[in-house]
Amino acid sequence: QVKKRCDQKLLIRMKTKCVPCSLNLDTQCPAGYIKITNGTGTPDCRYYLEIKTHTLSFPGCRHRCVKEFEQPECCQGHWGPDCMGK
């Protein structure tokens, strides 16, 4: 049995929006993503508040999320939607 399909597993990473750390406990990742940080997340960003004519910057937190994605691919010597060989 010759293997025709050699699908590639890809990990897609993303971060949630930067918010005050105290509000980040309940932040969820988008549908299909898994949260890989705990608690208030990672304190590695800044968020901004506009007050009249000024914009203030504060340290904040965000969560890291990952999604596993399988990219269909044919093995070497095979091609097309059905990975046909020679």
Side-chain angles (χ1 to χ4, degrees):
Q1 179 84 20
V2 177
K3 196 174 172 197
K4 296 181 195 177
R5 297 199 68 83
C6 292
D7 294 347
Q8 296 292 315
K9 273 195 169 131
L10 302 174
L11 260 180
I12 302 168
R13 301 171 190 275
M14 60 90 59
K15 294 174 184 169
T16 58
K17 197 174 94 175
C18 190
V19 296
C21 295
S22 59
L23 300 178
N24 205 34
L25 274 167
D26 299 325
T27 299
Q28 297 299 314
C29 292
Y33 283 83
I34 298 164
K35 193 191 291 186
I36 57 170
T37 42
N38 297 318
T40 56
T42 312
D44 67 348
C45 61
R46 297 190 75 78
Y47 67 95
Y48 301 92
L49 279 183
E50 284 183 34
I51 299 169
K52 293 187 181 172
T53 57
H54 300 294
T55 301
L56 303 177
S57 167
F58 297 97
C61 292
R62 56 189 172 178
H63 283 291
R64 295 174 194 275
C65 309
V66 293
K67 180 182 190 176
E68 203 172 79
F69 177 73
E70 204 160 272
Q71 184 171 326
E73 218 167 273
C74 298
C75 296
Q76 199 168 358
H78 295 82
W79 63 88
D82 299 321
C83 293
M84 300 304 291
K86 296 172 192 148

